Amino acid sequence: MVRGDLLCPGEECMAQILDGKAVARKVLADVKAGVAAVKDRSGATPTLAVVLVGDFPSSKIYIANKKKAAAEVGIASRDFLYAEGLSQPELLGLLRQLNADPAIHGILLQLPLPSGCDEGEAIAAIAPEKDVDGFHPMNLGLLLAGTPTVVPCTPAGVMEILDHYGVELKGAEAVVVGRSRIVGKPLAQLLLARHATVTMCHTRTRDLAAHTLRAELLCVAAGRPQVITGAMVREGAVVVDVGINRLESGRLVGDVEFESAAKRARAITPVPGGVGPMTVAMLMKNTLQAARRQLGL
Ligand code: NAD
């Protein structure tokens, strides 16, 4: 099912590591070449507006990572940071102004928004062609319709990893744990479009393990540290762990208990270094594609 040799360091066969950092480097190198070509052909620099409302320490870290990646690939970023907050009408006004600015090709509205702001209304106020996160209802609808245009970055990154390692999806028994708008739901659609047989699990699922144990491909985005243990993984499965959780000890872990799952899986993404780096890389890819479309290239 997976290209490449399995790593068997000890007595017990450990799974192949699906190296998201390496795949992200490859995506970013392609984006860098694409950005240079856009600049050559149009004279314009693909530009991302970064909007942060409120004072969220983790959002600041995410934004710093995204801006660093943008700089590396030659995408310009312009900051619209409002640590003290914005009213909903002010935020909508800002988004309208960015929609109308031809020098801005992508709008990154960092979530969450502070209480008092309506996330759904704000996302819907972004012009769909500048929605580089792919969260606009129109872009999610196009994905559902089978004509994806802008795909949310994290599920797009998962697909990129699976394709890079040659994971066969057609007819595969795929189980997605989590049904959020930004990860689980779009990921299930992408897998369906590639002819996997998809089961979605969530908090109301009865007997989660009964489902996960059937999965040849198990994708977990539950936001619960190590909720999937090795005993819940089918022998020889490919496991993609989207979760990022910081334990009280300070250790970063996924939604899958890596050590026990790696003993049963054929291949697995680590945390950190798995899906995380892909999300940022796919945001850059989406920004490049948005710029190309707006510049008619
Ligand atoms: P969310 O909280 O919006 O959704 C979690 C989903 O998991 C819900 O649908 C819920 O029903 C389901 N769920 C929760 N506990 C469950 C359980 N015990 N059994 C079955 N289903 C359960 O979370 P999200 O935004 O989709 O994020 C999920 C995880 O992915 C989080 O850890 C988040 O930090 C991480 N994340 C990582 C990246 C990345 O770049 N790697 C990007 C986005 C999110």
Side-chain angles (χ1 to χ4, degrees):
M1 195 177 181
V2 177
R3 218 187 297 136
D5 294 331
L6 299 184
L7 306 175
C8 295
E11 279 291 286
E12 278 171 303
C13 191
M14 287 287 286
Q16 178 182 12
I17 299 300
L18 303 176
D19 184 352
K21 261 199 228 165
V23 183
R25 272 198 298 275
K26 182 173 162 285
V27 171
L28 289 172
D30 290 347
V31 172
K32 188 173 182 175
V35 169
V38 166
K39 287 182 184 172
D40 272 356
R41 288 179 61 191
S42 68
T45 300
T47 299
L48 181 65
V50 177
V51 182
L52 174 59
V53 185
D55 190 22
F56 297 101
S58 51
S59 292
K60 287 185 202 162
I61 296 170
Y62 294 141
I63 279 189
N65 288 339
K66 291 169 186 177
K67 284 169 58 76
K68 184 165 163 266
E72 275 167 21
V73 299
I75 291 175
S77 52
R78 277 173 48 192
D79 289 348
F80 298 86
L81 312 178
Y82 300 91
E84 70 292 351
L86 278 184
S87 68
Q88 182 76 1
E90 286 170 331
L91 174 58
L92 298 180
L94 170 67
L95 294 172
R96 273 195 296 272
Q97 183 193 317
L98 297 174
N99 287 342
D101 184 344
I104 300 278
H105 305 103
I107 300 172
L108 163 66
L109 176 62
Q110 185 65 44
L111 301 177
L113 295 176
S115 59
C117 283
D118 180 338
E119 274 183 13
E121 190 186 28
I123 290 168
I126 296 172
E129 67 274 16
K130 297 193 181 187
D131 165 40
V132 286
D133 271 321
F135 298 159
H136 191 286
M138 187 169 123
N139 287 323
L140 290 172
L142 287 168
L143 176 61
L144 189 64
T147 51
T149 308
V150 189
V151 176
C153 303
T154 302
V158 170
M159 299 305 288
E160 196 82 27
I161 291 180
L162 295 175
D163 285 341
H164 177 85
Y165 285 97
V167 176
E168 176 66 46
L169 297 174
K170 199 197 274 182
E173 195 75 54
V175 173
V176 177
V177 181
R179 57 173 167 181
S180 71
R181 180 162 86 163
I182 65 171
V183 188
K185 277 185 194 168
L187 180 56
Q189 287 303 320
L190 291 167
L191 293 169
L192 263 181
R194 296 285 296 276
H195 312 297
T197 300
V198 183
T199 302
M200 295 193 71
C201 299
H202 44 80
T203 40
R204 316 291 160 79
T205 297
R206 288 193 300 267
D207 198 353
L208 180 61
H211 294 284
T212 60
L213 279 168
R214 279 191 294 105
E216 292 167 293
L217 170 63
L218 177 59
C219 299
V220 188
R224 300 279 183 279
Q226 302 174 313
V227 68
I228 302 294
T229 62
M232 298 165 78
V233 174
R234 176 175 170 166
E235 285 286 347
V238 173
V239 178
V240 175
D241 186 356
V242 178
I244 305 178
N245 312 280
R246 188 156 314 263
L247 300 181
E248 274 181 20
S249 64
R251 190 175 153 220
L252 212 55
V253 297
D255 293 349
V256 176
E257 191 182 80
F258 182 86
E259 288 74 16
S260 59
K263 288 183 183 144
R264 294 179 52 125
R266 178 187 297 250
I268 187 167
T269 59
V271 177
V275 177
M278 291 306 299
T279 298
V280 177
M282 300 314 285
L283 177 71
M284 298 305 128
K285 188 170 174 178
N286 281 353
T287 305
L288 169 62
Q289 285 171 343
R292 276 190 185 135
R293 281 194 290 267
Q294 284 158 64
L295 294 165
L297 298 175

